[in-house]
């Protein structure tokens, strides 16, 4: 069974075309018109072993907000579709990932229930312009868009960090590694890993 999906979204604010393969090698081609988001999603693909292709454009002359949010929405939709009925998967995953002085712990449950707990970023992080164009507050917002549309539970906790670039990147790498573990097939799991029989 192939775990792939292709999704698109077009509004007056942005246009997004995206495809994923959950059983890939981490290959990616990401062109969102938001350079730091490209960087974060490329890291997500690499460290989750998810092949990812994204092409997006939007009203970035106003702000990157609309384009970044819509890319997150479409990625979450694609993850949900590609996971299918989740038979045989581990369901849960966790990872703690450093990037120099930054350290982030992420825990993922492919539960079918959208919930995000996100914290630990230092005061002022949300106001910092990373790369001169990506507001720190967008990190949480992109996670919200992914998690809610993928219908997963995720806890992302920054444990240490000073440099905003390092903090954001460690968050996405930790999330990627946790997602990689959660989506992996577990040979000991028979059927759907839930007492309810569905996720």
């Amino acid at each position: 069974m192939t775990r792939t999906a292709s999704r698109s979204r077009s509004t007056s604010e942005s246009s997004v075309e995206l495809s994923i393969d959950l059983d890939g090698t981490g290959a990616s081609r990401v062109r969102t018109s938001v350079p730091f988001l490209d960087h974060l999603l490329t890291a997500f693909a690499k460290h989750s072993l998810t092949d990812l292709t994204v092409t997006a454009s939007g009203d970035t002359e106003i702000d990157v907000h609309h384009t970044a949010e819509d890319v997150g929405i479409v990625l979450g939709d694609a993850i949900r579709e590609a996971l299918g009925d989740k038979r045989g998967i581990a369901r849960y995953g966790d990872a703690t990932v450093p990037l120099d002085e930054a350290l982030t712990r992420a825990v993922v449950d492919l539960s079918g229930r959208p919930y995000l707990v996100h914290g630990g970023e230092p005061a002022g992080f949300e106001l910092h312009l990373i790369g001169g164009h990506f507001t720190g507050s967008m990190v949480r917002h992109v996670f919200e868009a992914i998690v809610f549309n993928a219908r997963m539970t995720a806890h992302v906790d920054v444990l240490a960090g000073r440099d905003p670039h390092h903090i954001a990147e460690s968050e996405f790498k930790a999330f990627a590694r946790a997602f990689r573990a959660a989506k992996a097939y577990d040979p000991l799991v028979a059927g759907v890993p839930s007492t309810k029989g569905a996720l």
Side-chain angles (χ1 to χ4, degrees):
M1 177 181 124
T2 59
R3 296 193 296 172
T4 61
S6 294
R7 303 287 289 178
S8 64
R9 175 181 170 91
S10 183
T11 72
S12 62
E13 298 170 340
S14 73
S15 176
V16 182
E17 299 281 342
L18 183 149
S19 63
I20 62 169
D21 181 349
L22 295 184
D23 300 306
T25 62
S28 64
R29 184 174 62 81
V30 181
R31 302 288 184 271
T32 67
S33 72
V34 181
F36 192 67
L37 181 61
D38 292 354
H39 182 58
L40 295 176
L41 293 180
T42 299
F44 168 78
K46 185 68 160 180
H47 295 285
S48 68
L49 297 182
T50 298
D51 290 350
L52 176 65
T53 301
V54 189
T55 303
S57 60
D59 55 1
T60 55
E61 72 281 2
I62 297 172
D63 194 289
V64 305
H65 184 283
H66 299 145
T67 303
E69 177 182 34
D70 287 351
V71 169
I73 289 170
V74 177
L75 177 56
D77 280 343
I79 288 170
R80 186 180 74 248
E81 180 182 332
L83 282 169
D85 64 9
K86 305 175 188 172
R87 289 181 179 276
I89 66 167
R91 175 177 168 177
Y92 303 101
D94 66 275
T96 304
V97 174
L99 178 55
D100 295 346
E101 88 296 344
L103 183 67
T104 300
R105 178 183 59 225
V107 184
V108 166
D109 176 9
L110 300 178
S111 60
R113 298 185 305 276
Y115 204 94
L116 175 67
V117 177
H118 177 267
E121 293 170 344
F125 174 89
E126 71 280 8
L127 304 176
H128 188 84
L129 276 178
I130 305 171
H133 67 281
F134 194 86
T135 310
S137 63
M138 289 306 304
V139 173
R140 178 189 176 98
H141 199 49
V142 172
F143 277 132
E144 287 172 339
I146 296 170
V147 165
F148 293 166
N149 288 278
R151 295 179 190 163
M152 68 170 74
T153 295
H155 289 244
V156 181
D157 298 300
V158 176
L159 304 178
R162 179 186 57 80
D163 182 272
H165 182 139
H166 291 172
I167 292 167
E169 190 172 339
S170 73
E171 290 186 64
F172 269 79
K173 286 179 175 177
F175 177 69
R177 291 289 299 196
F179 177 65
R180 171 179 168 180
K183 72 182 172 74
Y185 286 115
D186 184 336
L188 299 179
V189 173
V192 177
S194 171
T195 56
K196 297 190 294 291
L199 288 171

